[in-house]
Amino acid sequence: MAGTKTSQKHNGYKRTEKLSGMIMSAPAVILLAGFLIVPIIYTIYYSFFTYQVIRPDNIIFSGIENYISLFQDGSFWQALRNTVYFTVIVVPVQCVLALALAMLVSSRRRGVSVFRTMYFSPQVTSMVVIAILWTILYNSNANTGLINALLTSFGMEPIDFLNNPKTAMNAIIFMSAWQGAGYQMMIFLAGLNGIPQEQYEAASVDGAGKWAQFRYVTIPGLMNTIKYVLMITIIQAMKLFTQPYIMTKGGPQNKTKTLVYYIYEQGFQRGNFGYACAAAAVFFILVVIISLVVKKLTKTN
């Protein structure tokens, strides 16, 4: 009898814990469903319709016609190439820069907190403001463009950063890596603080230099952090929109038009809502596939 009562009491506690967990997680689940899951479902649904925003009552089922038109559109493939190029370049540059900054500010020297604030401050500043400031910096006029003013002071020719198809995307990549590195720096800094100092001391006693300590102590100790930073940086890079929208409007010659910008252009500028939903659905699938591939490649036993 005593054992039965104890078992019943234990089961009652478990039911209470489950109920409490469901109640506490309900707000987050509701928000997730309302702002993520439901929009995804509606996006996929409307992608099979010809639906223009200016004529909301005229919705015509078109099957996979939007997807056929999408894959036959050269602008879509150009936007995809631009997005891939941006991601492939900016992700390693930003991650390496963030790790280098984290190692620089991980020491306990006086004044290092000032540098941490300086490196992180672009992250808490509006991207719109930063994009406008860098547009001024990149201005081809040496009288107003600070970078070109510096170049001409050394006797060099000014560079038309944002209006040259060969330099526009690279200029955005440089600015984006500078802006986003502060966030990854703080994550790497937390990871560095989690590595026991005894490991460095043991490696030093064994005769390991700074490079050997970095290779055999720091990198293995940061492996999980590196995977996380790599994943979030790739996803953020794939969603590039604000920089080309503010700085180049997708030009010159569509060299900075990304997939998100292409979706915005089709949906909000041209009013082809169904077609934009098809592009968004393809973009969502691409991001999921890339995330799974990266997770698979970075998986260790």
Side-chain angles (χ1 to χ4, degrees), residues 142-177:
N143 295 323
T144 56
L146 298 182
I147 296 178
N148 277 313
L150 180 63
L151 293 177
T152 54
S153 67
F154 287 103
M156 301 173 63
E157 292 293 328
I159 301 174
D160 197 359
F161 290 101
L162 299 179
N163 294 316
N164 189 335
K166 296 181 179 179
T167 60
M169 181 57 83
N170 292 329
I172 291 177
I173 288 173
F174 182 84
M175 184 271 285
S176 300

Side-chain angles (χ1 to χ4, degrees), residues 46-66:
Y46 281 116
S47 69
F48 296 103
F49 291 84
T50 299
Y51 176 31
Q52 294 185 341
V53 177
I54 59 175
R55 302 178 64 186
D57 297 330
N58 187 19
I59 302 178
I60 302 173
F61 179 77
S62 58
I64 61 173
E65 183 179 335
N66 286 328

Side-chain angles (χ1 to χ4, degrees), residues 181-283:
Y183 178 68
Q184 283 83 1
M185 177 198 71
M186 298 303 293
I187 299 175
F188 278 129
L189 187 61
L192 288 172
N193 291 333
I195 300 176
Q197 192 64 30
E198 291 79 6
Q199 294 185 11
Y200 290 101
E201 295 174 356
S204 180
V205 171
D206 290 339
K210 293 295 184 182
W211 170 249
Q213 292 180 25
F214 174 77
R215 181 178 179 182
Y216 296 106
V217 178
T218 303
I219 294 299
L222 287 176
M223 190 54 63
N224 290 330
T225 305
I226 292 173
K227 293 178 185 178
Y228 174 73
V229 169
L230 184 64
M231 183 68 71
I232 63 172
T233 307
I234 289 175
I235 294 174
Q236 289 296 325
M238 291 288 292
K239 297 191 300 181
L240 176 69
F241 171 75
T242 306
Q243 296 93 310
Y245 176 75
I246 298 295
M247 301 174 73
T248 62
K249 297 299 180 183
Q253 300 177 17
N254 291 332
K255 289 297 183 179
T256 60
K257 181 183 291 186
T258 61
L259 281 176
V260 177
Y261 191 97
Y262 178 82
I263 295 168
Y264 163 80
E265 182 182 61
Q266 294 295 329
F268 293 96
Q269 291 185 344
R270 300 186 180 181
N272 299 326
F273 192 78
Y275 185 83
C277 286
V282 172
F283 173 72

